[in-house]
Amino acid sequence: LEVLLKGQHNLQKSKFFSVVFSGNGPSGICLSYLLSGYTPYFKRESLHPHHILQRKLEEIPEVSILDQDLDYLSEGLEGRSHSPVALLFDTLQHPDTDFGGTAESVLTWKHEPDRAIPHLVLGRNPPGGAWHSIEGSMVTLSRGEWMGLPDLPFKEWLKQTKRGLRNNRATAEDIAQYYQHYVVKKGLQKNFRCGTVVTSVRKVSAKSISNHAQNDVQENSDSLWNSNEQSTRVFQVDGFFKTVEGDKELFSIYAENVVLATGTYDNPTWLGVKGENLSYVHHQLSALEEAVKNNSIGIMSDPVLIVGAGLTAADAILFAHHCNIPVIHVFRRRVSDPGLIFNQLPKMMYPEYHKVHQMMKEQTAACAGPYECYISLPEHHMLSFGKDKKCIIQDKNGCQKTYKISMALVLTGSNPNLSFLPNNGIDLAIDSDQPVNPKRNPIDVDPFTYECAQEKGIYALGPLAGDNFVRFVQGGALAVASSLLKKANKNPP
């Protein structure tokens, strides 16, 4: 397929791509690497600690992992992901990392340019996606080496920058810089268009665009995806990019396949309570950082209300604690609830999150503990936010309390923004009556190709497909690349 590009951003009116990605985070970068002809093989002299997998890898070492049976290779593997291919790729790259081992990757990479598939990666931010929106000094949950992408270990890159890992973990700023460096180092820049926003993905008839007659696209209204001509389906991807002058320039491109890799950072979850749209109620941690920076909040302020019991809420508490800002912390679960993330993290590896968990246990409103400027309200929920900055909170027995606060941060997770898909992508989810949610209702994909069960030619990666950690999103990229290579007949005989 011919790829017509005019400058870095100026997408011409008519282009055709084999694959277009929406999203340029770690999963999009990894897939771009695999579709650029970089091909993984079993390193013959290496020894994998998983004996059965070692035996399988030795059967046809001359055949790329991309061309082997991923179902067969991943059978019997266990680990911290529900995806068999995610576990496979992770154990090939980090053979015994979950057991504290440091065995090297059993993969070797060859660049085979004739196997490359033309593709375009679209994203709002520079390569790295949402990592550029996270406060730079925040430390990652995952160990530093787990944040790395194929054939460029993160630790190696960090050594070159003369920085080290804090408690085996890295800062968000390091990660964002590493992903940008990776794209340049591997020569992938030509595939990336940053500062772009996708506004629509829909299926159109290939016949109708054969003469570039974009304004006269033939649509079939029988389907939400606007076409049921299986043999001639093409996806039209519309959107805009921001020019240097700040203007919006529209583009329309066509693709045989579309990869959804947008992550979930865009759309914070709202509680749906009265007054939540007031100006002092925020849904992102950056609002607190901004308020501290411009001195609108400080030691003498009324407390900051933080709602939620996940890691972002914990980061907000740590940030406020560091700045001596008083905090009221509201969350629905019991402190001992096994579903609470703090009860799943090793204390030694995550001392700061363990500290937050201790505060949640010991500093409830009912009994004062050793931590100043912090009150924990477990098994409580928000009822309303008032214009006078007074909020009403209710406990499990229905008892209500009113607090005067300076600002509120509702940090209860986020959902993907799939407004560019018909029906917000709900038809693609496992439960097609509910919105897509990375934990409760991901997009329904084939576990060995990551192609959507409901719409052929659409693939989903990362949190949209239920893979929430960088080390595991890469297996999804392997599955997609393997599927696309088969479709393009780029597998060697």
Side-chain angles (χ1 to χ4, degrees):
L1 289 175
E2 187 182 9
V3 179
L4 304 171
L5 293 175
K6 184 179 172 187
Q8 171 63 23
H9 281 301
N10 192 11
L11 297 163
Q12 287 181 335
K13 283 192 175 177
S14 175
K15 291 115 332 284
F16 297 86
F17 292 84
S18 188
V19 191
V20 169
F21 311 3
S22 179
N24 65 357
S27 47
I29 297 171
C30 184
L31 181 55
S32 178
Y33 179 70
L34 292 165
L35 294 184
S36 297
Y38 290 96
T39 311
Y41 289 85
F42 175 57
K43 205 190 295 172
R44 294 190 188 221
E45 67 279 10
S46 56
L47 198 62
H48 199 285
H50 193 293
H51 302 305
I52 297 170
L53 179 58
Q54 174 74 18
R55 205 169 66 238
K56 290 176 181 176
L57 291 167
E58 287 172 342
E59 287 170 9
I60 41 172
E62 70 284 355
V63 177
S64 158
I65 302 296
L66 281 168
D67 305 316
Q68 293 195 37
D69 182 340
L70 300 180
D71 187 351
Y72 172 65
L73 286 180
S74 58
E75 194 180 9
L77 296 178
E78 293 178 355
R80 300 182 189 180
S81 170
H82 299 300
S83 159
V85 187
L87 289 173
L88 170 65
F89 201 40
D90 182 62
T91 193
L92 293 173
Q93 294 196 95
H94 314 287
D96 55 357
T97 189
D98 279 337
F99 304 102
T102 54
E104 281 189 11
S105 166
V106 298
L107 295 177
T108 184
W109 293 86
K110 296 178 186 174
H111 191 207
E112 300 172 342
D114 56 316
R115 301 195 70 194
I117 292 178
H119 62 279
L120 190 65
V121 188
L122 306 174
R124 292 170 189 256
N125 294 314
W131 286 97
H132 294 278
S133 307
I134 299 168
E135 205 278 313
S137 61
M138 291 297 170
V139 179
T140 61
L141 174 64
S142 295
R143 287 167 59 172
E145 64 262 36
W146 294 347
M147 307 304 293
L149 295 174
D151 204 31
L152 182 62
F154 179 73
K155 263 187 177 172
E156 239 175 63
W157 173 82
L158 208 57
K159 264 187 215 159
Q160 290 166 9
T161 63
K162 305 287 190 292
R163 289 198 294 277
L165 291 172
R166 231 168 82 194
N167 198 28
N168 271 331
R169 289 149 69 211
T171 66
E173 184 182 11
D174 287 336
I175 299 298
Q177 285 184 15
Y178 164 77
Y179 291 142
Q180 277 190 277
H181 173 81
Y182 186 92
V183 167
V184 174
K185 175 90 174 166
K186 299 298 183 185
L188 308 178
Q189 313 97 299
K190 64 184 183 297
N191 305 318
F192 283 73
R193 294 294 174 274
C194 304
T196 57
V197 176
V198 173
T199 54
S200 166
V201 173
R202 62 196 177 110
K203 200 194 279 182
V204 296
S205 158
K207 285 178 195 166
S208 63
I209 56 168
S210 58
N211 298 321
H212 310 316
Q214 278 179 241
N215 298 326
D216 188 29
V217 173
Q218 301 296 310
E219 295 181 3
N220 180 337
S221 58
D222 293 346
S223 152
L224 272 166
W225 289 90
N226 292 341
S227 175
N228 55 14
E229 294 178 54
Q230 293 304 307
S231 58
T232 58
R233 59 155 190 256
V234 171
F235 296 100
Q236 180 174 327
V237 180
D238 296 324
F240 64 86
F241 59 84
K242 289 170 186 162
T243 64
V244 181
E245 297 79 30
D247 299 327
K248 287 182 181 179
E249 194 161 325
L250 303 179
F251 67 82
S252 250
I253 52 181
Y254 299 97
E256 292 176 287
N257 303 280
V258 170
V259 178
L260 307 175
T262 52
T264 61
Y265 197 74
D266 285 340
N267 223 4
T269 308
W270 282 49
L271 300 171
V273 302
K274 186 183 172 188
E276 194 174 359
N277 58 346
L278 291 167
S279 61
Y280 69 90
V281 183
H282 303 272
H283 295 81
Q284 286 183 322
L285 173 54
S286 54
L288 178 59
E289 293 153 9
E290 198 57 41
V292 169
K293 207 181 284 180
N294 62 31
N295 294 319
S296 59
I297 265 182
I299 299 173
M300 304 306 292
S301 303
D302 286 326
V304 170
L305 176 75
I306 295 173
V307 183
L311 297 174
T312 310
D315 285 335
I317 290 160
L318 289 165
F319 183 82
H321 193 62
H322 177 70
C323 300
N324 295 311
I325 293 166
V327 168
I328 296 167
H329 184 198
V330 175
F331 51 101
R332 286 176 174 268
R333 294 177 186 261
R334 288 175 294 115
V335 181
S336 57
D337 188 323
L340 205 65
I341 184 69
F342 306 103
N343 291 317
Q344 300 167 23
L345 298 176
K347 290 177 189 175
M348 291 293 287
M349 201 166 151
Y350 303 100
E352 75 278 42
Y353 290 138
H354 176 58
K355 179 181 180 178
V356 171
H357 196 208
Q358 287 295 109
M359 290 163 72
M360 289 162 70
K361 280 184 205 166
E362 297 175 18
Q363 191 84 15
T364 60
C367 53
Y371 302 101
E372 287 182 40
C373 303
Y374 172 88
I375 297 172
S376 164
L377 297 175
E379 296 183 271
H380 284 64
H381 65 271
M382 295 303 307
L383 281 188
S384 66
F385 298 97
K387 288 180 181 170
D388 53 1
K389 294 195 176 180
K390 285 182 180 170
C391 60
I392 302 172
I393 299 164
Q394 183 170 298
D395 69 12
K396 60 178 179 177
N397 301 316
C399 187
Q400 295 180 10
K401 301 164 190 169
T402 302
Y403 289 92
K404 178 86 165 69
I405 61 173
S406 58
M407 72 184 292
L409 291 170
V410 177
L411 302 171
T412 52
S414 57
N415 290 304
N417 178 2
L418 298 176
S419 58
F420 57 89
L421 295 177
N423 199 23
N424 291 297
I426 290 174
D427 312 299
L428 304 180
I430 288 175
D431 178 352
S432 57
D433 294 326
Q434 296 294 323
V436 175
N437 179 284
K439 289 182 180 151
R440 294 182 295 280
N441 193 31
I443 289 177
D444 188 7
V445 297
D446 180 295
F448 299 103
T449 66
Y450 279 61
E451 190 167 20
C452 293
Q454 305 303 324
E455 190 58 53
K456 298 304 170 203
I458 297 266
Y459 292 81
L461 276 182
L464 295 179
D467 294 334
N468 290 295
F469 290 100
V470 170
R471 61 185 284 207
F472 295 127
V473 302
Q474 299 173 59
L478 179 79
V480 173
S482 174
S483 170
L484 290 171
L485 283 162
K486 286 186 179 74
K487 278 187 183 180
N489 290 321
K490 295 227 176 186
N491 304 74

